[in-house]
């Protein structure tokens, strides 16, 4: 099949790729851990990137050596989310990471399709607060999937909604779990951040100002 821009899809993770929300997740989890009597480090937080809310809570409780019932976990996850939502409700366009807006606009202008592929159930609020929502052709987030990255479900659903074949998709990810999900989905992957945290990515850049539409298209040709 001849590849033209209309049958290429770019699938973007949200937290840590398009917007700087990792700091808010970290603060909300740290406060929760502290309230339970233990600490939570930035190194531990790195392992939660791309991991959904309930799985993140399970990992934190395990690190703290604390056991909770399913009902108690629901309460804890809600407490963390309420604190997190309070913080992201005040987000502005200034918290869009460098290069994100320009790259999304350039991709759109070139006819390449764009989807969100995020584990977050709060993506709607974040996209609305930052003004990015109108740039997406499809949104898949934690409200639409049953599995967490590294399962490829979130990206395969995004490709399906865009009507693009998996091998013509490029995923943009800041989390190791997300890179693994993209690879499992047989997609190309651009890592955002430090190469050591993004094993298997086809290319690693520090933010989205580090890649052009031409370089993205070249990844699948
Ligand atoms: C991911 C974040 O994007 O979303 C994780 O990297 C987070 O840290 C996950 O746990 C779920 O987010 P939310 O907003 O549904 O709690
Ligand atoms: Mg992320």
């Amino acid at each position: 099949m001849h590849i033209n821009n209309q049958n290429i899809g770019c699938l973007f993770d949200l937290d840590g790729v398009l917007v700087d929300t990792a700091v808010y997740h970290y603060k909300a989890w740290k406060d929760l851990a502290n309230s339970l009597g233990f600490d939570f480090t930035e190194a531990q937080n790195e392992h939660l990137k791309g991991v959904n809310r309930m799985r993140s809570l399970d990992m934190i409780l395990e690190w703290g050596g604390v056991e909770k019932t399913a009902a108690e976990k629901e309460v804890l996850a809600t407490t963390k989310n309420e604190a997190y939502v309070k913080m992201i409700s005040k987000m502005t366009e200034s918290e869009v990471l460098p290069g994100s807006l320009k790259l999304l606009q350039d991709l759109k202008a070139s006819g390449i399709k764009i989807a969100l592929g995020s584990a977050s159930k709060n993506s709607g609020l974040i996209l609305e607060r930052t003004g990015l929502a109108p740039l997406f052709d499809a949104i898949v987030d934690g409200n639409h999937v049953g599995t967490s990255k590294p399962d490829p479900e979130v990206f395969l659903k995004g490709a399906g909604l865009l009507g693009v074949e998996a091998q013509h998709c490029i995923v943009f990810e800041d989390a190791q779990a997300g890179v693994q999900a993209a690879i499992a989905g047989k997609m190309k992957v651009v890592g955002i951040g430090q190469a050591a945290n993004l094993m298997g990515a086809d290319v690693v850049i520090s933010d989205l100002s580090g890649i052009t539409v031409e370089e993205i298209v070249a990844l699948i040709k």
Side-chain angles (χ1 to χ4, degrees):
M1 176 178 161
H2 174 70
I3 304 173
N4 58 36
N5 286 359
Q6 281 67 40
N7 43 48
I8 296 175
C10 283
L11 307 175
F12 288 86
D13 174 51
L14 178 64
D15 297 312
V17 170
L18 296 174
V19 291
D20 193 11
T21 42
V23 285
Y24 300 133
H25 278 297
Y26 178 54
K27 181 162 181 3
W29 283 130
K30 192 179 170 70
D31 289 349
L32 187 84
N34 291 168
S35 77
L36 294 169
F38 59 92
D39 206 9
F40 169 60
T41 66
E42 281 193 61
Q44 288 170 322
N45 191 53
E46 191 62 38
H47 294 287
L48 302 186
K49 290 186 177 171
V51 176
N52 71 22
R53 197 182 307 160
M54 292 313 288
R55 176 84 192 110
S56 297
L57 176 62
D58 281 337
M59 289 168 74
I60 290 169
L61 293 176
E62 206 178 308
W63 289 325
V66 170
E67 279 188 30
K68 294 285 175 189
T69 64
E72 287 168 334
K73 285 184 200 174
E74 283 299 331
V75 173
L76 291 172
T78 301
T79 303
K80 181 268 176 178
N81 192 55
E82 283 171 359
Y84 177 70
V85 167
K86 209 169 166 185
M87 291 186 267
I88 60 172
S89 297
K90 294 184 203 133
M91 279 181 87
T92 66
E93 291 173 14
S94 67
E95 285 164 271
V96 172
L97 286 166
S100 305
L101 181 61
K102 181 168 188 316
L103 183 63
L104 290 172
Q105 288 170 334
D106 289 350
L107 287 167
K108 204 165 184 60
S110 71
I112 292 174
K113 298 206 182 97
I114 305 170
L116 189 81
S118 168
S120 175
K121 293 185 172 177
N122 293 301
S123 77
L125 175 59
I126 296 168
L127 293 179
E128 182 208 317
R129 291 290 314 164
T130 53
L132 294 176
L135 292 159
F136 290 87
D137 299 298
I139 306 259
V140 185
D141 74 7
N143 297 298
H144 309 115
V145 292
T147 58
S148 190
K149 299 170 186 176
D151 190 286
E153 181 185 6
V154 68
F155 295 133
L156 294 175
K157 273 206 165 146
L161 286 173
L162 294 181
V164 171
E165 290 177 37
Q167 68 265 31
H168 296 159
C169 286
I170 304 105
V171 168
F172 296 79
E173 259 295 348
D174 72 317
Q176 187 64 62
V179 172
Q180 288 169 250
I183 293 170
K186 309 219 171 348
M187 298 174 178
K188 296 291 178 195
V189 51
V190 176
I192 313 295
Q194 307 283 332
N197 299 327
L198 298 161
M199 305 285 278
D202 293 285
V203 45
V204 175
I205 53 178
S206 56
D207 62 47
L208 292 174
S209 64
I211 198 160
T212 63
V213 171
E214 291 69 33
E215 288 165 340
I216 291 167
V217 171
L219 284 173
I220 57 161
K221 286 194 171 166

